[in-house]
Amino acid sequence: MISAFVGDAPAKIILFGEHAVVYGQPAIAAPVTSLRVYASASENSLGYLRVIANELGSVYTITQSEKLSEKPLETICQLTLRHFNRPIPAVDLKLTSEIPIASGLGSGAAISAALARALAGAIGESLSDDVLNTLVYEVEKIHHGTPSGIDNTVIVYEQPIRYVRDEPIQRITLNHPFHFVIADTGIHAPTYLSVGDVRKLMDKSPETTRNLIEKIGSITDYALEALKSADISTVGRLMTENHRLLQSLTVSSPELDHLTDTALKSGAFGAKLSGGGRGGNMIALVESDSVESMKATLKSAGAYRVMDMTLGNDS
Ligand code: PMV
């Protein structure tokens, strides 16, 4: 018996610690709950499973197979069915995504999480967040090669987190609002390329690279204290310092630097790239009454698209 079911998942931003997190340093990330992927499941008359991804212009067909597919959208479905020990159902999973791909917002992990939730719901099962996190991580390996696991974790649990590879996640509660403007360079930059280049830098100049990565880790630890104590100007200063270290790791780009410099010149507390870098998105921390003007400033400085989000509540 197949049920109509909708699964969804949010985008994410990394506030501190991207790239360093791959090497065991802490990172801080938060879901972007207003930007989501939806997967709607319905019964079909074909006798097999399809994933219909109109935005990607693709339809994936999943039939019974011993072998795990190397296509992420197929793999997550196979892993979900294997987890419940269930055969391929006659189901269509239609994807609708508001998250731009290859932009540092975690679209890959969000698509996997939404598909797995929808498929499990359609066959009358329910996935715990812990199991879903493990399944999505498996698929992240196809996207990224050596993912730290931060994307799947923040997206599946949909909470701000401090994340250290192979350690239990630490959920963060903020009792003060932090207003971020998120600006997209419009440049698609696959994460595995920038992660691979940091790896090459590590092989070529291990001491310098390790030093940069450890500095990012210390900044992340200071930033967590500043976030908890609502010290906005320190959070902002540390974001900008983090961006400078990411530049030294070669993962920024002229477009990301231009948007972060513009945000800083226009009064942001701090600004940095967010995610894999080389393209994708940057974030700026601003006063609540500067959100709209900062969005306009970044748009006229060439941002492809801008949005805002608030993290934390008034205590
Ligand atoms: O998927 P992205 O582009 O948001 O990057 C994830 C963060 C990295 O630290 C660059 C990679 C990782 O696996 O943690």
Side-chain angles (χ1 to χ4, degrees):
M1 162 83 185
I2 300 297
S3 319
F5 198 89
V6 179
D8 69 337
K12 70 96 200 11
I13 52 171
I14 298 184
L15 300 178
F16 291 94
E18 53 273 269
H19 287 288
V21 69
V22 174
Y23 297 88
Q25 296 295 327
I28 300 171
V32 183
T33 54
S34 59
L35 205 58
R36 307 189 76 83
V37 175
Y38 299 91
S40 69
S42 57
E43 188 163 17
N44 67 30
S45 54
L46 300 168
Y48 54 80
L49 175 61
R50 290 194 307 180
V51 176
I52 301 162
N54 287 330
E55 275 118 354
L56 302 174
S58 309
V59 177
Y60 300 87
T61 299
I62 298 122
T63 49
Q64 206 69 47
S65 166
E66 289 293 306
K67 205 169 164 285
L68 216 48
S69 166
E70 282 169 13
K71 294 182 185 156
L73 279 63
E74 296 179 7
T75 319
I76 189 63
C77 295
Q78 289 175 307
L79 289 174
T80 305
L81 294 169
R82 281 186 191 184
H83 173 73
F84 293 115
N85 204 11
R86 297 282 292 266
I88 302 286
V91 164
D92 276 350
L93 295 170
K94 286 204 183 82
L95 266 182
T96 321
S97 180
E98 301 164 350
I99 311 175
I101 58 163
S103 300
L105 294 176
S107 68
I111 287 173
S112 294
L115 282 176
R117 283 179 171 143
L119 179 54
I123 60 172
E125 303 278 4
S126 146
L127 277 169
S128 71
D129 285 347
D130 290 348
V131 170
L132 179 59
N133 195 29
T134 314
L135 301 184
V136 177
Y137 180 66
E138 284 306 307
V139 182
E140 286 293 281
K141 289 185 193 163
I142 303 175
H143 283 297
H144 284 199
T146 54
S148 66
I150 190 168
D151 277 18
N152 45 285
T153 307
V154 66
I155 281 165
V156 166
Y157 294 95
E158 203 162 336
Q159 278 198 3
I161 55 167
R162 174 185 184 271
Y163 180 84
V164 182
R165 206 172 179 155
D166 302 325
E167 285 185 14
I169 59 165
Q170 186 184 332
R171 293 172 165 82
I172 303 172
T173 308
L174 300 175
N175 294 316
H176 185 88
F178 290 85
H179 304 282
F180 293 95
V181 171
I182 305 171
D184 193 345
T185 60
I187 296 167
H188 290 175
T191 304
Y192 74 89
L193 288 179
S194 58
V195 169
D197 285 349
V198 174
R199 177 77 59 197
K200 281 184 202 147
L201 211 59
M202 184 62 101
D203 291 342
K204 200 171 131 222
S205 323
E207 205 174 317
T208 319
T209 310
R210 198 162 297 121
N211 191 17
L212 293 170
I213 276 167
E214 282 169 8
K215 276 191 185 146
I216 293 177
S218 313
I219 283 179
T220 303
D221 281 335
Y222 287 130
L224 183 59
E225 291 316 306
L227 282 162
K228 283 183 181 162
S229 58
D231 182 352
I232 298 197
S233 58
T234 300
V235 174
R237 183 177 53 75
L238 292 170
M239 281 171 64
T240 308
E241 274 183 37
N242 192 161
H243 183 73
R244 302 281 172 243
L245 291 163
L246 288 164
Q247 285 175 319
S248 303
L249 283 179
T250 77
V251 295
S252 191
S253 70
E255 296 80 6
L256 285 164
D257 289 345
H258 174 57
L259 292 178
T260 46
D261 290 346
T262 303
L264 293 170
K265 278 188 202 126
S266 312
F269 291 109
K272 66 182 276 293
L273 70 85
S274 180
R278 296 273 166 80
N281 282 267
M282 56 76 70
I283 54 175
L285 179 63
V286 298
E287 295 271 20
S288 65
D289 55 8
S290 316
V291 168
E292 291 309 320
S293 60
M294 184 61 76
K295 280 162 75 177
T297 302
L298 292 177
K299 195 92 212 303
S300 49
Y304 175 73
R305 100 170 163 172
V306 290
M307 59 179 294
D308 63 277
M309 71 171 264
T310 300
L311 205 58
N313 304 311
D314 285 312
S315 49

